Amino acid sequence: MSDRAPAGQFLDAAIDLLRRVRDEEADSITAAGTLLADTVESGGRLFAFGAGHSSLAAQDLVYRAGGLALMNLLAVPGVVGVDVMPAPLGSALERVDGLASAVLDSSPLRAGDALLIISLSGRNALPVEMAVHARALGVRVIGVTSVAYASETKSRHASGTYLKDHCDLVLDSKIAVGDAELTLDNVPAPFAPASTVVTSALLQAVMATAAATVADRGLEPPLLRSGNVDGGHDWNSRVMERYRDRIFYRH
């Protein structure tokens, strides 16, 4: 570890990861944004799912100032963020076979929709099964994961596969296995995770691409404005009324 303060080292590490994503995932970002734009244009709906801390990046896309109003959160009780007590139960639920299928079968997802599945490791039963079952329903799936886990860890799904193996498109967050950027001689474990910062930025790049692509096709992208600027609430009310059949967080 260098002589720089840990805060500076962490920020440098996050910036380096963001640069890698920008340079190495540019084509995948364009493809994912185009897929979302195609879905918006064709009348489909948009959904995002993540378990544990991966849910933070999914939630960041929903009902978001500057974001697409059509993005809905696909919530699985007990695995959204760290809202379940005790917290380790959420991790255990990610490994339960059949949970993803039950959730999808009772969700509004249908053929022609698009689903973003965010899972840093991509190794647990929940994201793998969700991708498999969603595609069987005719849903287009974009996986957001660290591809490194597939070569350095063992899958926890019965098939031995990972999220990346069951997606129409894969976005690689480049996060190292273990999700900790810093080490110190007097600290027994690595620390300072960067996955939330990088994954959120990666997804916002996809959303920016989607909005611009819709506009390039001569359509108005269904964007939300901040409720804290004058006229924002009225703007959002009109957008949500226009697209009410494709928005599920308002009902």
Side-chain angles (χ1 to χ4, degrees):
M1 194 163 178
S2 73
D3 294 332
R4 292 202 60 189
Q9 292 182 40
F10 172 75
L11 291 171
D12 285 346
I15 290 168
D16 287 345
L17 284 164
L18 289 170
R19 285 180 175 140
R20 283 191 63 196
V21 165
R22 179 196 64 193
D23 297 340
E24 298 173 21
E25 295 299 299
D27 291 343
S28 295
I29 289 170
T30 298
T34 302
L35 189 155
L36 295 186
D38 292 343
T39 305
V40 171
E41 187 177 4
S42 65
R45 294 87 56 81
L46 310 178
F47 295 84
F49 166 78
H53 286 90
S54 291
S55 180
L56 299 176
Q59 293 178 62
D60 189 51
L61 302 177
V62 180
Y63 190 53
R64 190 71 163 87
L68 290 174
L70 306 189
M71 184 61 72
N72 300 277
L73 184 67
L74 181 63
V76 178
V79 303
V80 179
V82 289
D83 62 334
V84 64
M85 295 293 288
L89 175 59
S91 298
L93 290 173
E94 292 183 55
R95 304 171 193 175
V96 174
D97 293 330
L99 179 57
S101 296
V103 168
L104 286 173
D105 288 343
S106 60
S107 79
L109 271 158
R110 67 188 184 193
D113 292 345
L115 172 62
L116 288 156
I117 301 179
I118 302 131
S119 173
L120 178 61
S121 72
R123 67 189 294 226
N124 288 311
L126 184 57
V128 174
E129 181 185 335
M130 185 166 288
V132 171
H133 196 61
R135 293 180 82 192
L137 294 173
V139 174
R140 301 293 299 279
V141 173
I142 300 171
V144 187
T145 187
S146 170
V147 172
Y149 275 83
S151 59
E152 299 181 37
T153 68
K154 183 178 179 180
S155 171
R156 290 180 175 142
H157 188 257
S159 67
T161 60
Y162 298 77
L163 169 62
K164 73 174 187 65
D165 300 317
H166 304 284
C167 300
D168 295 281
L169 289 169
V170 175
L171 299 170
D172 184 3
S173 64
K174 315 295 181 182
I175 300 296
V177 173
D179 192 16
E181 294 300 319
L182 304 184
T183 58
L184 281 174
D185 291 342
N186 60 349
V187 177
F191 59 102
S195 60
T196 303
V197 173
V198 175
T199 303
S200 291
L202 174 55
L203 285 168
Q204 290 299 346
V206 171
M207 302 303 286
T209 301
T213 301
V214 170
D216 286 344
R217 295 173 178 177
L219 304 172
E220 180 182 332
L223 295 168
L224 295 172
R225 291 189 172 187
S226 171
N228 295 312
V229 299
D230 292 342
H233 284 300
D234 290 339
W235 172 281
N236 292 341
S237 294
R238 288 193 295 271
V239 171
M240 286 193 280
E241 179 60 29
R242 179 179 177 184
Y243 294 97
R244 61 184 305 164
D245 61 328
R246 299 159 74 179
I247 296 173
F248 300 95
Y249 52 81
R250 59 168 290 167
H251 301 301

